[in-house]
Structures are given as C-alpha cells and as structure tokens.
Amino acid sequence: MDRRIFLGAGIAGATTLTFTSVFSQNSPDLGAPTLPSPGFRKTMVGDIEVIAINDGALRRPLGDEFVRNAPLEQVKALLASQSLPTTHVDIPFTPYLIVAGGQRFLIDTGFADNGPPTTGRLRANMAAAGHKPEDIDHVILSHFHGDHINGLFAKDGSAVYPKAKVHVPAPELAYWMDDAKMNAAPPAVKGAFENARRVMGKISADKLVKFEPGAELAPGIRSLAAFGHTPGMSVFSVNSKGQSFMYVADVTNVPSLFARSPDWAVTFDMDADMARATRRRLFDQLVKDKTLMGGFHFPFPALGTLDLSGNGYQFKPLA
C-alpha cells in the first residue's frame, strides 16, 4: 500500500497541496475557465436541502502525466468524442452545503484566499445562496488534499468557519499525522504531510471530531469508506423520506475522463488500484439505485445521476 501511495503522491503532494509544478501552470494561450453564474445549485432530498457551491476552477494543460496509465492520444480522443477541448482540462472545485435539522454541514472547503486566482469563490457563492460562513455549524472533510482542507483558514490565519466543529475520517488523520510515514516519504510527498499538519494543527481540540467510516454523523448523514484516492478518504450519503444523495468527493476526478474510463488513474490517486476498485463499487451502486450524486470535481451544477456507458459511466447533470 505505502509503495503505491508514494508512487501516486509525488505529483499530488507537489501540486494539489502546494500549487506548484504543472498543476498551477496555466499557459496564457489557454485562457481561463468559465465559472458558473450563479455559482450555486439547490435541491431537496426529502426534508434535507443540498446545495452545491462552486469555489472556482483551474485550467490545466493536458499532458502525459495527468492520466497515468493511458496514452495521451487516447485521452485526447475520449475528450474529442465528447466535443471537449484536447489541449487542456478544466478542474472545478465544488463543496456541498447540507441543511438538515436546523444545522448547516459544509462538506469540504475549497481554498478560501489561499489558492490560484480562479478559485476562492465559495464565500461569495455561499452568500448568494443565503448562507454565511459564520452560520456553518459543522465542516466535514472527505480527505486531506489541499483543495479540500485549505479553505478552513484564511491566509491571515483566521478561521473561516469560526463556530464549526470539524469532522475528519480517523484513518485519514492517522495517516497524515504518522511520523514514520512522513519520514519515509520521498521529498515530493513531504509537502503533502506538511500541509495537512499545518491545517490540522490550527484546529482546537474542542472543535476536532474524529469519525470512523461508516459512522452516522448526524440524522440522515452517514459516512462511507472510499479508500484509494487517499488512505482514509470517506464519502457521504444523505437520506430523508426515502430519497438519497451521495457526495463522492474525489472517487473520480473530472468525469468526462475518469467516469467514462473508470480504470484510468488520475495523477492524484495515491493508490490507483484501490481507487479503481472503489470507483467501480460505488458507481455500480449509484447506477443500480439511480441515486442523485455529486462530486468535488464534477461540472456544474455538480448534481446529477450516473448511467452506464460502454465500459464506464456517463454523468448526467440536473437540468
């Protein structure tokens, strides 16, 4: 497991978490991603409100490294078959706000003011949806990559969600806080550990809540193990009055590639084999149950359903 993690985390650690290297190199001739307006989408799941809130997007030049186990020409061909650009990919970032039982649960955080220029839109889009960061009661983290946790604190060190308890998967916390694993990691991966420890270290003990995958976090909100992308990643199901929604976090990166070809490995998957098995398991269940779903890197409105398509899956966004 550790060897596969290190193979996959070299680029993930140096890019997703510190925003250096190829991830943040936006070639001028590629332009900038178009951000949604409005930057939120609401839907009801029984009595529970689910709001997808866009934090922005990054335009990334498409190179050989993005899909680790497929030739670049094959990747471009799949994009072209969907009438998508083949010179770059746009990677959106979409946390989800769950309003249930008079409480507000934010799942993942985006960047706040710590990221590239085309990110950091969560606060404004949340306000447009009728909510303020000061009103958030709970923040739930799926895993510890920087685009999911760096939005907990602003650049000046202040807490973006001052009254919120922060719920974290216990296996994820244990991995990134393990000194032996950090000391054994290649240099490129150490940035991932340092970033996770920097952010987690700012959370006061009375605000940090650990949960085991499978635990119910609140009435109608349950966690599920989804290991592979990171060692302890969890996804979350919302259930009310016979209706369901599942937030799949980074079980797949952009679905035009990694849902359509679920056996491909994005450069950020830390254990590609386990991530692939998790993707198949969860997506097969979502198709079977026709469950409403959303993912952190899904195209806006980032809410929709999955259908089978060839050897993979097709994401169908809500109209």
Side-chain angles (χ1 to χ4, degrees):
M1 172 87 170
D2 285 348
R3 181 176 179 273
R4 292 195 298 272
I5 285 171
F6 290 156
L7 288 174
I11 295 176
T15 58
T16 301
L17 302 177
T18 60
F19 310 108
T20 60
S21 190
V22 66
F23 192 78
S24 60
Q25 291 174 3
N26 293 325
S27 301
D29 60 338
L30 294 179
T34 299
L35 302 182
S37 181
F40 67 91
R41 177 67 181 271
K42 299 181 179 184
T43 193
M44 295 299 296
V45 177
D47 287 334
I48 297 177
E49 186 173 32
V50 175
I51 312 173
I53 310 178
N54 182 254
D55 188 51
L58 280 180
R59 177 157 292 179
R60 172 196 174 101
L62 183 61
D64 292 299
E65 80 296 327
F66 190 60
V67 181
R68 289 160 50 194
N69 60 337
L72 181 58
E73 289 310 310
Q74 190 174 341
V75 175
K76 289 183 175 182
L78 180 56
L79 290 171
S81 72
Q82 301 169 76
S83 300
L84 294 171
T86 59
T87 57
H88 63 270
V89 287
D90 286 346
I91 303 178
F93 308 97
T94 304
Y96 291 73
L97 180 60
I98 312 298
V99 183
Q103 298 275 296
R104 296 173 178 87
F105 302 82
L106 179 68
I107 306 181
D108 289 333
T109 69
F111 297 94
D113 59 351
N114 302 291
T118 51
T119 65
R121 306 306 202 266
L122 181 60
R123 181 189 292 267
N125 287 331
M126 184 183 292
H131 301 274
K132 297 180 295 185
E134 296 79 12
D135 297 333
I136 302 301
D137 301 287
H138 305 272
V139 172
I140 303 171
L141 300 177
S142 63
H143 65 291
F144 286 6
H145 280 168
D147 49 340
H148 296 256
I149 67 173
N150 284 357
L152 279 171
F153 297 94
K155 194 177 295 184
D156 64 8
S158 62
V160 176
Y161 309 99
K163 80 172 192 178
K165 290 186 179 296
V166 181
H167 302 254
V168 303
E172 186 78 352
L173 182 68
Y175 176 81
W176 294 107
M177 300 303 123
D178 188 315
D179 288 341
K181 286 183 170 56
M182 183 176 74
N183 292 336
V189 185
K190 283 188 166 59
F193 283 92
E194 291 166 358
N195 188 73
R197 291 172 175 223
R198 177 185 63 82
V199 176
M200 292 299 116
K202 293 180 181 180
I203 304 171
S204 61
D206 63 316
K207 294 287 183 68
L208 186 65
V209 181
K210 294 184 287 185
F211 65 85
E212 294 295 336
E216 186 178 58
L217 305 185
I221 304 175
R222 182 173 293 279
S223 62
L224 299 91
F227 305 158
H229 179 67
T230 66
M233 190 175 80
S234 293
V235 298
F236 306 97
S237 65
V238 174
N239 299 278
S240 175
K241 291 190 170 182
Q243 298 181 21
S244 300
F245 164 77
M246 182 177 286
Y247 169 63
V248 300
D250 285 12
V251 166
T252 183
N253 201 276
V254 289
S256 56
L257 291 176
F258 303 101
R260 292 293 300 273
S261 289
D263 295 326
W264 287 358
V266 71
T267 188
F268 310 121
D269 282 345
M270 295 176 67
D271 184 329
D273 293 339
M274 186 176 290
R276 185 178 300 113
T278 293
R279 190 176 305 124
R280 289 279 188 185
R281 172 176 58 85
L282 287 176
F283 283 8
D284 283 347
Q285 193 65 47
L286 289 169
V287 169
K288 177 183 175 183
D289 296 341
K290 297 181 171 58
T291 303
L292 180 70
M293 54 88 70
F296 193 68
H297 299 298
F298 278 48
F300 211 75
L303 292 165
T305 56
L306 282 178
D307 288 338
L308 292 177
S309 178
N311 188 44
Y313 313 87
Q314 174 71 49
F315 176 63
K316 292 192 171 181
L318 286 181

